[in-house]
Amino acid sequence: MTDKTAPGFTRVPLIVQYAEATKNPETYGFSGSQGLVNLEGQLLRPDTPSDTVLIFMHPATTLQLLPMPTALAGSGAHVICAASRYAKFDASLIMEKVACDMGAWVRHAREVMGYAKVVLCGWSGGASLSLFYQSQAENPTITRTPAGDPCDLREAALMPADGVMMIAAHASRARTLSEWIDPSVIDEADPDRRRRELDIYDPKGAPRPPYTSDFITEFRAAQIARIRRISAAARERLEDLGRRGGAEYERAFVVHRTMADLRWLDPAVDPNDRVPGRCFLGDPEAANVNPAGLARYSSLRSWLSQWSLDDSRADAVVGASAISVPLIVIENSADDGAPAAHPRIVFEAATRTDRELHVVKGATHYYKGQPELLAESVALCRDWLLRKGLLA
């Protein structure tokens, strides 16, 4: 069944399946529990044929309703919005397995759908995934997850893409969490126990903006220290469960107060054109405690794979330094989701390949109410694709 209601293109449902022997299911229900990984997505297909397809994929969500992929499809590009096995449920997400899922989509695009060229489009959290994938497709090195479980990307036969795009994106989930997590929490089991002098949402707690360089340094150090405490506890618990040798091989936990980025309250910290006092989820103070905050729920293995600063491998800076295909980085100057510094450090790391950096002045993370800036981003992408011979 197809949907022709979208302007300029048709939505075609896609299903990709591949075999994987899984000792313990990581996702609820049928998906992944019957010896098969089941992936769902959509092809946004214009009437004009093309030998090139753009693949948008995020580790933890679906992208087929977002402005960028639909606008690119409306401009005439063929777009696959591909979901991982963990779509909209990242509590058990393993980044190495998401790379395998992306590999299944790239292979399907080439071998089943017949596209000659594939370009990975890393929007938001999809950039670190795309660059991680491409680096491992070009030179696979990983054989196990950070928790030590087998996941051999050398044997996965990942097919390299022909180019990578990074749009309104951060450098990695782990880096981002290390800059967002609330360092005032001193007891993971009781979020009410906090170092008040580091609580930026307490009127009688941390100093008010603008923040001094000394406070920023102390705050950042405390953020990283909290990340490392959680990582150490996760490793210790996994070792304990392994020693027990029973049916309980994994455990889930809650990470309280994870949305406390100084940038959201002080526009002078990593400055760009964002509106202070807001973030991509609305009110930062509410986002800090509400259920939808970043990394709110996690398994032990997932924490090490996607959130641990010292363990996670899905890092756009590392990936960009290892790829050989063309890369374009598009920074939205009013982005309140992706940290302002991240696009530039990824661009600067990509020294082995043909790279470009562009800034869309005034664009927010989702281009809400900004059709002209969305069109500018699309034009940058299409121009780059044409100049690099990736789109006829």
Side-chain angles (χ1 to χ4, degrees), residues 71-82:
L72 278 165
S75 77
H78 288 221
V79 176
I80 292 176
C81 293

Side-chain angles (χ1 to χ4, degrees), residues 292-312:
L294 195 73
R296 183 68 75 243
Y297 312 101
S298 183
S299 71
L300 302 169
R301 286 171 166 81
S302 182
W303 175 270
L304 296 178
S305 182
Q306 69 171 326
W307 301 121
S308 174
L309 189 61
D310 298 315
D311 297 286
S312 179

Side-chain angles (χ1 to χ4, degrees), residues 56 58 63 66 68 121-127 165 167-169 365-367:
F56 277 81
H58 188 283
L63 303 176
L66 290 181
M68 198 66 196
C121 300
W123 181 86
S124 193
M165 303 164 72
I167 308 166
H365 195 59
Y366 291 109
Y367 304 94

Side-chain angles (χ1 to χ4, degrees), residues 1-14 42-48 70 73-74 77-80 115:
M1 180 178 179
T2 60
D3 176 7
K4 297 185 178 181
T5 61
F9 60 88
T10 300
R11 293 183 182 273
V12 182
L14 298 176
Q42 287 188 7
L43 170 65
L44 311 185
R45 186 184 63 199
D47 292 335
T48 306
T70 53
H78 288 221
V79 176
I80 292 176
Y115 289 104

Side-chain angles (χ1 to χ4, degrees), residues 5 11 24 40 46-47 81 87 106 113 174 225 236 265 267 306 317 328-329 346 376 390:
T5 61
R11 293 183 182 273
N24 296 291
E40 298 180 47
D47 292 335
C81 293
V106 173
M113 302 178 74
E236 182 179 354
L265 302 189
Q306 69 171 326
V317 176
I328 184 172
V329 177
V346 173
E376 181 179 339
L390 297 172

Side-chain angles (χ1 to χ4, degrees), residues 148-183:
D149 300 315
C151 187
D152 197 332
L153 299 188
R154 298 177 306 178
E155 295 183 354
L158 304 178
M159 302 179 75
D162 301 289
V164 180
M165 303 164 72
M166 176 177 180
I167 308 166
H170 56 71
S172 81
R173 307 201 100 193
R175 282 181 190 256
T176 300
L177 182 62
S178 76
E179 298 172 14
W180 287 5
I181 198 166
D182 188 337

Side-chain angles (χ1 to χ4, degrees), residues 230-386:
I230 299 173
S231 298
R235 293 188 205 99
E236 182 179 354
R237 178 59 65 189
L238 279 173
E239 291 172 3
D240 179 56
L241 292 175
R243 284 191 296 267
R244 296 182 190 181
E248 186 181 12
Y249 70 99
E250 179 63 286
R251 187 167 291 181
F253 61 100
V254 177
V255 185
H256 298 280
R257 301 177 72 95
T258 60
M259 306 289 284
D261 190 344
L262 295 176
R263 298 176 182 92
W264 294 328
L265 302 189
D266 187 351
V269 178
D270 194 11
N272 67 1
D273 300 321
R274 64 188 179 274
V275 176
R278 303 290 295 172
C279 74
F280 71 106
L281 291 177
D283 176 9
E285 182 176 2
N288 193 42
V289 295
N290 286 344
L294 195 73
R296 183 68 75 243
Y297 312 101
S298 183
S299 71
L300 302 169
R301 286 171 166 81
S302 182
W303 175 270
L304 296 178
S305 182
Q306 69 171 326
W307 301 121
S308 174
L309 189 61
D310 298 315
D311 297 286
S312 179
R313 285 87 162 247
D315 187 286
V317 176
V318 176
S321 70
I323 68 169
S324 62
V325 298
L327 169 69
I328 184 172
V329 177
I330 297 178
E331 173 190 347
N332 288 358
S333 82
D335 203 322
D336 56 5
H342 285 203
R344 296 174 186 272
I345 62 174
V346 173
F347 171 77
E348 290 167 1
T351 56
R352 295 182 55 221
T353 191
D354 179 345
R355 57 182 177 169
E356 293 184 12
L357 172 66
H358 300 272
V359 178
V360 181
K361 186 70 173 174
T364 61
H365 195 59
Y366 291 109
Y367 304 94
K368 183 178 180 180
Q370 299 178 319
E372 70 289 349
L373 299 182
L374 176 61
E376 181 179 339
S377 292
V378 169
L380 286 170
C381 293
R382 289 192 62 90
D383 175 68
W384 177 79
L385 289 165
L386 290 166

